[in-house]
Amino acid sequence: MHSEENKESRHKERQQKIKQQVDAKIAAAQEEKGLLLVITGNGKGKSTSGFGTIARAVGHGKKCAVAQFIKGTWDNGERNLLEKLGVEFQVMATGFTWETQNKETDTQAAQQVWQECKRMLKDESLDVLLFDELTYMVSYGYIDLDDVVDALAQRPHMQSVVITGRGAHRTLIEMADTVSEVRNVKHAFESGIKALKGVDW
């Protein structure tokens, strides 16, 4: 019985120390500004995480917009839901680049969506933006990195932006306030299991 009390006491002490550390960090975090979040890595869930952020923001009454590169020809469950809630979508309609294999067409399609992104990045009424799979457009040279950096740097002070996709350029990683790397541990597709509507896409 005595050791149970000791365990409980030690647990309370540990939790109290953790609480003090968290409280100190909260007190020290005084700057208010929009955030730049980059979600990258080879694992599944980058876009899902980005859309989760948009859903959360919408739930808090924020005005949001989404630009989607690459997945334009897919039926999109997130779009089906979020457009009904007033979220603007701009979609690169050529689909996956390995399907079209036409650099000129893909560059034009990417640039069209990127011009809409630049408009969004000047719109003070938009609180949170998601640029889904933008990293690929920079890697493939469809969109100029310096143009992306300039547009992000000049956005409204309280506007937050989420960028997703594999192989995020180191400049975007350095510029970001928060970077998450999604790592693949196991993926059903590698075992020959078809992508499941409503779960995988």
Side-chain angles (χ1 to χ4, degrees), residues 64-190:
C64 302
V66 174
Q68 276 197 294
F69 298 90
I70 297 184
K71 289 179 185 163
T73 57
W74 282 30
D75 181 31
N76 185 311
E78 294 93 347
R79 183 178 181 182
N80 295 345
L81 174 70
L82 292 168
E83 270 189 333
K84 292 174 190 164
L85 299 172
V87 176
E88 175 191 351
F89 272 72
Q90 295 293 334
V91 179
M92 184 171 150
T94 56
F96 288 92
T97 51
W98 55 84
E99 282 176 2
T100 61
Q101 295 175 4
N102 185 326
K103 181 148 185 160
E104 192 180 333
T105 307
D106 284 346
T107 302
Q108 284 174 354
Q111 279 298 323
Q112 226 172 339
V113 176
W114 175 239
Q115 295 314 307
E116 297 296 340
C117 292
K118 290 210 286 192
R119 172 186 54 78
M120 293 172 185
L121 287 163
K122 291 177 181 165
D123 187 344
E124 290 194 16
S125 77
L126 290 171
D127 300 301
V128 186
L129 308 177
L130 169 60
F131 297 158
D132 188 35
E133 318 277 20
L134 175 66
T135 61
Y136 294 97
M137 301 300 104
V138 172
S139 299
Y140 296 160
Y142 298 165
I143 297 172
D144 181 63
L145 174 65
D146 290 340
D147 198 19
V148 173
V149 169
D150 288 348
L152 289 169
Q154 291 171 39
R155 75 188 193 275
H157 184 68
M158 290 307 295
Q159 189 182 75
S160 293
V161 180
V162 183
I163 294 172
T164 69
R166 292 182 183 209
H169 194 282
R170 67 180 179 279
T171 303
L172 293 175
I173 288 172
E174 285 163 13
M175 189 180 189
D177 298 291
T178 300
V179 179
S180 298
E181 186 169 9
V182 181
R183 185 174 65 89
N184 242 0
V185 176
K186 189 177 183 182
H187 196 301
F189 183 68
E190 303 299 330

Side-chain angles (χ1 to χ4, degrees), residues 8-18:
E8 185 63 29
S9 173
R10 283 197 305 273
H11 175 74
K12 278 184 179 173
E13 278 176 36
R14 273 196 310 272
Q15 293 306 103
Q16 189 58 40
K17 278 182 188 168
I18 291 168

